Amino acid sequence: MATRPSHARTASTNLASGSGQRALEGRVAIVTGASRGIGVEVARTLASKGCNVVINYTSDSSTQTAEALASELEAEYGIKAISVQASMGSENGPKHLVEVAKNNFQHPKTSKFQLDIIVNNAGVAGNNLVENVDCEDFARQFNINVRGPLLLLQAAIPYLPNDRSGRIVNLSSVSSSLGYKGQSIYGGTKAALESMTRTWSRELAERCTVNAINPGPVATDMYWSNDEAFIAQNKPFIENTPLAAPRKGIDPEKIYEASQNAGGRPGYSEEVAGVVGMLCLPEAGWTTGSVICANGGMKFSY
């Protein structure tokens, strides 16, 4: 089982303890792309609130990690968690994910199945100037980031609640509105996802709330894989982000040092997951069709 950084353990403990209540007790959630990064922390946050979790992942190399996370969450929070391999970029992957969830969580006698929460977290990125964009990369990013959530929702609609208690949270990005050089495609996919968020909030108003969050840089594998040119481009944005100033002795030393040349620190996965968790609570039932700031103030909500 992988160890977690101290700041992650502290944040998770606070989320889990809260008022001592498990506000999502017995509910079922699907979290796509949940074998690493933000998805792991979203799954952990929901589980800490009593929610059963379907941990989705794509590649064979993530099988062991996803299975270990499911076992960890079951042991720590007393919920049921399963891991399901399915590609959100394929035509059949989203439907397969819902079918496996149903087979594992439907009532043994009545066969009733309700899917309470969907977190569309799986996504891919790519940086390319407009003259170098090709159709293959366009299709790859749009299939995973846009078509995947659409097909997953289509498969899930028969099983959503009918009392507005359902929750859908889509992971967008500040890239949808900041106009980063090289992100014609990635930014476009996230803008499309935000547009679908607003449409779904109206179409599904009697079933669930539908919101998006827009993280900025987050300390995930995707963030650390960016080249120096992108880090330099991003520096002015981070320098003007209210919460991005690195904190000596609070932030891990690796991140503190790396932040000196980057203009500030990235967010942590558990900080983003905490916003997702809030949107999934019953108390968030009056919030829908919104893009919520989850980026330290880099790009404010609207």
Side-chain angles (χ1 to χ4, degrees):
M1 186 181 301
T3 58
R4 303 176 62 215
S6 58
H7 63 81
R9 289 196 298 272
T10 301
S12 180
T13 300
N14 291 338
L15 284 168
S17 57
S19 62
Q21 298 178 346
R22 286 161 59 103
L24 302 179
E25 189 74 52
R27 300 192 184 189
V28 177
I30 286 178
V31 183
T32 66
S35 64
R36 60 180 182 175
I38 295 171
V40 170
E41 296 306 327
V42 169
R44 181 173 283 112
T45 295
L46 296 178
S48 75
K49 300 178 187 302
C51 192
N52 301 306
V53 184
V54 179
I55 297 166
N56 163 248
Y57 68 99
T58 300
S59 63
D60 292 340
S61 61
S62 297
T63 298
Q64 186 174 354
T65 301
E67 291 176 349
L69 176 62
S71 297
E72 175 192 344
L73 298 183
E74 287 189 332
E76 187 169 356
Y77 299 112
I79 53 90
K80 180 177 180 180
I82 63 169
S83 59
V84 182
Q85 183 175 16
S87 171
M88 292 301 100
S90 69
E91 292 187 26
N92 296 319
K95 182 178 180 180
H96 171 70
L97 178 57
V98 172
E99 289 176 344
V100 175
K102 179 183 178 182
N103 290 340
N104 279 269
F105 288 99
Q106 65 184 355
H107 193 281
K109 293 184 178 179
T110 65
S111 297
K112 181 181 178 181
F113 171 64
Q114 181 167 294
L115 182 54
D116 302 284
I117 296 169
I118 299 173
V119 181
N120 284 305
N121 170 72
V124 294
N127 298 326
N128 228 337
L129 295 177
V130 63
E131 63 264 30
N132 298 322
V133 169
D134 57 52
C135 292
E136 182 178 354
D137 190 42
F138 182 96
R140 178 182 72 95
Q141 293 192 53
F142 267 87
N143 285 347
I144 295 173
N145 298 358
V146 181
R147 190 182 69 179
L150 175 65
L151 294 181
L152 181 58
L153 179 57
Q154 283 185 334
I157 281 177
Y159 311 111
L160 294 177
N162 289 294
D163 59 357
R164 295 185 178 176
S165 66
R167 300 287 184 264
I168 297 175
V169 182
N170 298 320
L171 271 289
S172 182
S173 167
V174 294
S175 296
S176 69
S177 52
L178 288 184
Y180 281 119
K181 293 179 181 178
Q183 293 198 346
S184 296
I185 308 308
Y186 180 68
T189 67
K190 294 306 183 179
L193 188 60
E194 290 180 10
S195 180
M196 291 196 302
T197 296
R198 290 184 281 270
T199 296
W200 297 349
S201 71
R202 294 183 182 278
E203 292 186 2
L204 301 172
E206 298 306 315
R207 314 289 296 280
C208 58
T209 63
V210 187
N211 293 287
I213 65 170
N214 59 350
V218 179
T220 63
D221 293 341
M222 184 183 295
Y223 175 74
W224 297 119
S225 67
N226 285 315
D227 58 25
E228 292 185 6
F230 185 81
I231 292 175
Q233 177 193 174
N234 203 40
K235 186 175 180 179
F237 293 104
I238 297 182
E239 287 175 332
N240 287 289
T241 298
L243 298 181
R247 303 157 297 178
K248 184 72 173 178
I250 297 177
D251 296 303
E253 192 64 23
K254 173 186 174 182
I255 290 180
Y256 180 83
E257 292 299 329
S259 298
Q260 302 306 307
N261 294 324
R265 76 169 178 93
Y268 299 132
S269 294
E270 63 271 15
E271 292 174 320
V272 176
V275 181
V276 175
M278 288 189 292
L279 289 171
C280 292
L281 292 173
E283 295 91 328
W286 197 238
T287 300
T288 196
S290 297
V291 180
I292 306 298
C293 174
N295 48 61
M298 174 181 281
K299 177 70 174 67
F300 293 108
S301 59
Y302 55 89

